[in-house]
Amino acid sequence: MRAFLASAIGVACTAALVLPTAAIAAHAPAVPASTAPPGSTQSLPLVPLVPDAPGGDRAAGTAPQGLTERDAKPFSLLGVIWDDPEAELHGTVQVRTRSTGTGAWSGWQFLETHHHEHAADAGTAERETGKVRGSTAPLWVGASDGVEVRVRPEGDAAVRGAAPAPLPSGLRLELVDPGDDPPPGATTTAADAAEDNADDAAAQTGAADDADDPRTTVLTAEDAAASAVNADLVPLGATEVPALSKAETEAQTFVLGGKPRIGPRPRIVTRKGWGANEQLRERNFVYTKRVKVAFVHHSATGNNYSCSQADSVLRSIYRYHVKSSGWRDLGYNFAIDKCGNIYEGRAGGVAKAVMGAHTLGFNSNSTGIAVLGTYSKSKPRAAVVKSVARLTAWKLGLYGANPSAKTTLKSGGGNRYKKGTIAKLNVIAGHRDGVSTNCPGGHLYRKLAEVRAASARLQGR
């Protein structure tokens, strides 16, 4: 049975909760434009590279493309985009970067090229804006000021010795500055590991460490709009939604016809808490009817970040999704860092059924949770598994969903289920269950059975 917040507002009425920016602007202090959260994107067109070996003329679009070693304005995350969002990049993308802290160049790193499975559904307003572009997954490289990139088509002589396939047109390298100064370099040191352990402990106790963060003192009209949709849970401008015990959560929630099956609400860092620049996103919020499935993802941005840098990683992905990929907002509804800290993702309210852009064809009636990092070869920490279970036990409980059950969703069209197909899915599913993709990486995917069991226990099932 569907659950509701015990305040006067139920989650089923989410569309009615949207307060337009104009309606709340008077309640937000006037802030000069110069104090808006900083951040920037450098967009550099790729050019044909000299072929690795002589072989005559190449067919149009089949020559390797890239950029030779060059200086750049500071950035911390990068990705490659192209004009047509329906086109796939069949080939390899490699980058190397220069650290601003040490001046040393990294080795070559691969970008995940098959990223189109993370997107708004076909036919939706977000997809049809004309702004959406094809893109690789972004890669976190840490504070850098130099870059080199090479894109080779599948079948290129240097790769497989076969006739190369054309690359998408309009290839560009996007270099993203998250808007602050993360520690130089991308290597996790012993000090970083100790810091991560401290952050891990803070995540479990709900301790906050942002009391002196200057971002918490600024509240623009856009900030107020993104915060007001959490008014059931926290005051306007709050930097976190605090954790509640199971008893407190149940007291805040009721179910038509019985006791709620819901897990204790976890601590969630709000968009204000991680420093989202609310001027980047589309102004309004978009909702779906309910939440039947939680899709688990990995961000494929790599694991070379400390937990103190997670805010910067999230701001970078947000900017890449909006300014580079052309989406209305961050694609994921929630994010979890490798220490288990949980973050509000796409704006619209953490308790509400916000329409995301995370699982192509299945963004309706679902929520998307991205674990920051790459888990194809690396195992997620126990804190990550615990936080995914805690978040799903609460979020799914608001909508009466059993984490250990199966349900059905109608596909909006994708590379695994045709449009209109009724797919039977686990209520807690991996991205690959809805779309043909490696996401959320084999190691994280194999933890989902454990997540389902733990989430169900937290709901009291």
Side-chain angles (χ1 to χ4, degrees), residues 356-413:
H358 50 81
T359 305
L360 183 64
F362 293 104
N363 291 303
S364 292
N365 298 327
S366 71
T367 194
I369 301 167
V371 179
L372 299 180
T374 303
Y375 296 96
S376 302
K377 297 181 180 179
S378 299
K379 295 180 179 180
R381 296 181 183 180
V384 168
V385 177
K386 182 176 181 179
S387 289
V388 176
R390 286 174 59 84
L391 176 57
T392 53
W394 174 72
K395 181 71 176 186
L396 292 170
L398 290 173
Y399 294 84
N402 180 350
S404 60
K406 291 183 181 291
T407 190
T408 58
L409 288 179
K410 180 185 288 188
S411 173

Side-chain angles (χ1 to χ4, degrees), residues 21-276:
T21 302
I24 61 175
H27 301 286
V31 180
S34 61
T35 64
S40 63
T41 302
Q42 302 169 67
S43 186
L44 308 175
L46 303 190
V47 298
L49 297 176
V50 176
D52 298 312
D57 294 336
R58 287 179 178 265
T62 63
Q65 295 186 38
L67 295 172
T68 55
E69 186 178 299
R70 65 185 56 210
D71 296 336
K73 295 178 181 178
F75 64 95
S76 295
L77 176 140
L78 53 76
V80 170
I81 64 170
W82 52 92
D83 295 337
D84 183 0
E86 306 301 328
E88 293 189 51
L89 195 163
H90 295 287
T92 60
V93 179
Q94 292 176 286
V95 296
R96 57 192 293 264
T97 55
R98 184 179 63 207
S99 167
T100 57
T102 65
W105 283 87
S106 71
W108 287 100
Q109 300 184 76
F110 284 92
L111 274 63
E112 174 57 62
T113 59
H114 298 294
H115 191 59
H116 67 285
E117 302 91 353
H118 304 74
D121 293 345
T124 61
E126 180 172 4
R127 185 75 174 192
E128 304 302 325
T129 61
K131 300 177 182 178
V132 180
R133 307 176 186 91
S135 62
T136 67
L139 180 69
W140 175 263
V141 294
S144 305
D145 59 7
V147 67
E148 182 175 6
V149 60
R150 58 192 185 197
V151 181
R152 288 195 174 107
E154 194 172 73
D156 182 75
V159 180
R160 293 188 180 180
L167 294 171
S169 62
L171 289 170
R172 304 182 70 87
L173 176 66
E174 302 287 287
L175 304 176
V176 179
D177 170 20
D180 64 354
D181 296 316
T187 302
T188 300
T189 64
D192 286 329
E195 175 185 85
D196 288 356
N197 290 335
D199 286 347
D200 197 348
Q204 307 311 316
T205 62
D209 59 2
D210 58 3
D212 297 324
D213 190 333
R215 290 174 301 178
T216 66
T217 65
V218 177
L219 189 65
T220 66
E222 292 81 6
D223 291 331
S227 183
V229 287
N230 287 319
D232 280 3
L233 310 178
V234 289
L236 193 69
T239 58
E240 69 171 61
V241 176
L244 295 180
S245 68
K246 184 170 175 60
E248 290 170 330
T249 304
E250 289 176 348
Q252 189 190 63
T253 311
F254 69 90
V255 172
L256 299 178
K259 182 180 178 180
R261 293 278 191 170
I262 188 169
R265 188 180 75 193
R267 172 181 176 262
I268 303 171
V269 178
T270 66
R271 289 171 64 92
K272 181 66 176 175
W274 56 263

